[in-house]
Amino acid sequence: MDKTPKILGIVGIALGALTSVSSTVGLVAQPVLKRAMSAFSQWADQLPQQPGQPRMGDLMDRTAEALEATRPYQLAQSGAMLALSVALLVIGIAMLQRRKWSRRAAMGWAVAALAFVPVMIWIQAFVIQPMTQEAVYRSMPQVPQAQLRFQGFLRSFQAASAAVGTVTFYAPFPVVLFALLKRKKSMTWFEPERDVETVAP
């Protein structure tokens, strides 16, 4: 019997479990990080400061404000990732057991996961990163025009890096999963549903 569904199920369980943990951390970590940055800001204000040097406490305050402003986007992304990862975990277990319904469920999950990749890219590259960078720049002294142009280049580079990283990390498994399960041969990998026989007392 073909071992492909078993392998896909094991990979799905592993990815679902890991992403569930990371998404849960993402949901609870931001308030903790904001409090930590506020405490660090108070400590940094007590340090000696050179003339013209940006105040570290102001930098931390601006970054904390950016975190608070991007919090709804972070929560939405982490919540959606948690839902997808839990669904993948359940589907992976069902594929490991060769349940017939797991094939269509896995294909549907793959489509949903791929559809969410552009959303993650938009959140990271066009919402969170620009708002965080703007907060950092506002805490700095006046910068020359050449440095402003470099900052624009840096933003474009970071946006491109976020897009490439997101696609590289999140897209391959859904693509492979959908491609394998789309083949007619995959229908023979799963056992038909069996009716449960009721034994009369």
Side-chain angles (χ1 to χ4, degrees), residues 32-55:
V32 177
L33 181 60
K34 182 184 176 182
R35 287 195 294 269
M37 294 185 69
S38 297
F40 183 79
S41 173
Q42 297 177 2
W43 173 80
D45 282 339
Q46 301 175 3
L47 297 176
Q49 182 179 350
Q50 298 295 330
Q53 180 182 7
R55 190 175 68 86

Side-chain angles (χ1 to χ4, degrees), residues 145-194:
Q145 191 66 27
Q147 189 170 345
L148 288 175
R149 287 195 295 269
F150 174 76
Q151 290 172 358
F153 167 78
L154 183 61
R155 288 180 178 180
S156 300
F157 176 78
Q158 289 178 333
S161 299
V164 172
T166 301
V167 171
T168 301
F169 189 79
Y170 290 104
F173 181 68
V175 169
V176 172
L177 183 65
F178 187 86
L180 289 175
L181 296 179
K182 184 67 174 176
R183 298 184 303 173
K184 290 183 178 181
K185 180 183 177 181
S186 67
M187 297 180 182
T188 64
W189 294 345
F190 303 93
E191 298 292 339
E193 300 289 352
R194 294 182 176 88

Side-chain angles (χ1 to χ4, degrees), residues 65-93:
E65 291 174 4
L67 284 174
E68 184 63 26
T70 59
R71 184 178 180 183
Y73 300 95
Q74 293 276 23
L75 293 178
Q77 176 175 299
S78 296
M81 289 295 295
L82 180 60
L84 286 171
S85 60
V86 171
L88 179 60
L89 186 59
V90 174
I91 292 171
I93 294 173

Side-chain angles (χ1 to χ4, degrees), residues 99-170:
R99 298 292 179 86
K100 186 176 181 180
W101 62 266
S102 64
R103 176 178 175 269
R104 289 189 176 276
M107 293 175 65
W109 178 90
V111 172
L114 288 174
F116 191 62
V117 168
V119 178
M120 286 193 293
I121 293 174
W122 177 77
I123 291 176
Q124 290 294 330
F126 299 101
V127 178
I128 294 177
Q129 286 187 359
M131 293 181 70
T132 304
Q133 291 170 356
E134 182 64 26
V136 173
Y137 295 155
R138 282 191 291 128
S139 64
M140 292 182 176
Q142 189 70 26
V143 294
Q145 191 66 27
Q147 189 170 345
L148 288 175
R149 287 195 295 269
F150 174 76
Q151 290 172 358
F153 167 78
L154 183 61
R155 288 180 178 180
S156 300
F157 176 78
Q158 289 178 333
S161 299
V164 172
T166 301
V167 171
T168 301
F169 189 79
Y170 290 104

